[in-house]
Amino acid sequence: MEKMKYDVVVVGGRVGGSTASLFASKKGLDVLIIEKNQEIGVPVQCAEATSSSTFKTLEMKPSSKYVCNEIKGADVYAPDGSHGHLEGGYAEGFILERKLFDKHLAIESAKAGTDILVKTTVKDLIRKKEGVRGVVAKHMDHTLEIEAELVIAADGIESQVAQMAGLNTRQTPHSLCSCAQYEMVGVSCDPHYLQFYFGQKIAPGGYVWVFPKGDGVANVGVGVRSDTTSAYSFLRKFTSQMNATPVELNIGGVPVHGPVDKTYTDGLMVVGDAAGQVEPFTGGGIHVTVLCARIAGEVAAEAIEKGKTSENFLKRYETRWKKEVGGDLKQSLKYRRIMDRLTDEEMNILAKFLKKQDLESISKMSMLGFVRDYPQFLKLLKEIL
């Protein structure tokens, strides 16, 4: 058995893992990324949209190397086909080519000093009385014993590494949104605006998205929570009405129940999908993951510098990310639960109301008038207010 030693081992080389390793390496730590796939960035498991805050957190400028398109807003469609238009603000951002973006982050991390092992899987954790102290991994035909002061688990939904350490990262069918997405050629849409479609018949418990990548290419996907019909079936039904050709299919799950209960333990932190650091309402997670992963990398540097890697010290990781995005994630979960309870008819009514409003400054008077006309919304609006 080959033995290795690092300050930090990061399990998972996608956005969360590469961001954590990047900032840990910038702080002078000796870091290793372990990635189970033979190429970082594939297969794609994302609709590929993100906000400008992602690049501010990364301290990078958006590059045409991996940015397909700039987004100025969005059109949101109710079940009856009526739609509202959002301009700028939250709906503004970029469409990425994740195959290139994820690899770019890994390359930047490597330039900062991170070592990377692809096609490598974790088989067990190294445990000592102080807690987690590394991993046992399989690289090709070789078994590696990799000692480390800290492990960062960025290994996706239901993180096996976190579970090995005793943390509960398990998801349920209700807490996951099942997703299927085509990359399609020949899609007719405004290249700078996202499209969202809601309705129980096309996407129960979720929505359909059309994210333009430019030159008639777009990601067309469906996220659902359904016990009877697969996301892929809903995707095929929706795209059957389009005169466009699929060139790629990706299927996966997104955690939409909020963060897991605990994202740290002795010698280990959890980031990204593994930690449930995803907006429950939209299912978007790149900007959240990047922020939390940067904090994990910085806390790792503090912990190792001070020789304190117990959960009492690593708790500051969770304290910091909750301070930054915890409130937003709770609010997003509240909105998702409200949407879960709306019928298609109620969605249509709400859409017509919102279409007439300035979403930045909806007045209490307009809400009171709306509730007077539609008293069934009173309880829902109380939750929002």
Side-chain angles (χ1 to χ4, degrees), residues 10 12-23 33 40 102 105-107 109:
V10 180
R14 292 179 181 270
V15 169
S18 289
T19 300
S21 64
L22 172 64
F23 284 93
I33 287 178
I40 290 175
D102 289 22
L105 280 183
I107 289 171
S109 185

Side-chain angles (χ1 to χ4, degrees), residues 40-58:
I40 290 175
V42 294
V44 173
Q45 295 173 322
C46 176
E48 301 185 295
T50 195
S51 67
S52 57
S53 66
T54 293
F55 296 100
K56 291 178 183 177
T57 301
L58 290 169

Side-chain angles (χ1 to χ4, degrees), residues 29 33 59 83 120 163 178 221 252 299 346 352 360 372:
L29 299 188
I33 287 178
E59 299 178 351
H83 78 281
T120 305
Q163 289 185 44
S178 176
V299 169
E346 288 169 337
K352 287 180 174 63
E360 296 287 333
R372 184 182 62 246

Side-chain angles (χ1 to χ4, degrees), residues 27-44:
K27 293 289 186 178
L29 299 188
D30 196 10
V31 184
L32 172 69
I33 287 178
I34 290 175
E35 167 57 43
K36 67 179 180 180
N37 294 306
Q38 63 190 34
E39 181 179 1
I40 290 175
V42 294
V44 173

Side-chain angles (χ1 to χ4, degrees), residues 204-350:
Y207 59 85
V208 171
W209 64 85
V210 179
F211 288 1
K213 301 179 80 170
D215 198 25
V217 178
N219 288 332
V220 182
V222 182
V224 301
R225 278 175 293 134
S226 171
D227 296 330
T228 57
T229 309
S230 70
Y232 180 60
S233 296
F234 284 106
L235 176 64
R236 290 194 64 186
K237 182 178 179 181
F238 184 84
T239 56
S240 66
Q241 307 167 42
M242 303 173 67
N243 184 23
T245 303
V247 294
E248 185 174 325
L249 170 66
N250 291 293
I251 294 175
V254 176
V256 292
H257 199 62
V260 300
D261 291 336
K262 189 180 178 187
T263 57
Y264 64 94
T265 188
D266 291 322
L268 182 138
M269 293 178 281
V270 194
V271 303
D273 282 1
Q277 292 164 337
V278 175
E279 287 197 4
F281 182 65
T282 66
I286 297 176
H287 64 293
V288 180
T289 288
V290 161
L291 179 61
C292 296
R294 173 173 177 167
I295 292 171
E298 292 173 344
V299 169
E302 294 174 28
I304 289 173
E305 180 184 356
K306 295 179 180 180
K308 298 179 179 179
T309 58
S310 70
E311 68 170 29
N312 287 335
F313 188 89
L314 297 182
K315 183 178 180 179
R316 64 185 57 197
Y317 158 62
E318 188 165 295
T319 300
R320 281 182 58 186
W321 74 251
K322 281 188 173 181
K323 182 180 179 181
E324 293 287 342
V325 296
D328 291 341
L329 295 182
K330 283 183 179 179
Q331 192 74 358
S332 181
L333 180 58
K334 184 183 293 185
Y335 290 146
R336 199 219 76 203
R337 286 174 172 165
I338 289 171
M339 286 296 292
D340 284 349
R341 287 153 51 185
L342 293 179
T343 65
D344 280 5
E345 181 181 354
E346 288 169 337
M347 284 188 194
N348 293 333
I349 292 169
L350 186 59

Side-chain angles (χ1 to χ4, degrees), residues 174-215:
H174 180 71
S175 68
L176 284 175
C177 191
S178 176
C179 301
Q181 174 179 270
Y182 281 138
E183 183 178 49
M184 305 191 78
V185 178
V187 179
S188 179
C189 63
D190 190 311
H192 298 294
Y193 291 87
L194 308 176
Q195 294 179 11
F196 298 92
Y197 296 83
F198 290 86
Q200 293 300 316
K201 292 182 179 179
I202 64 168
Y207 59 85
V208 171
W209 64 85
V210 179
F211 288 1
K213 301 179 80 170
D215 198 25

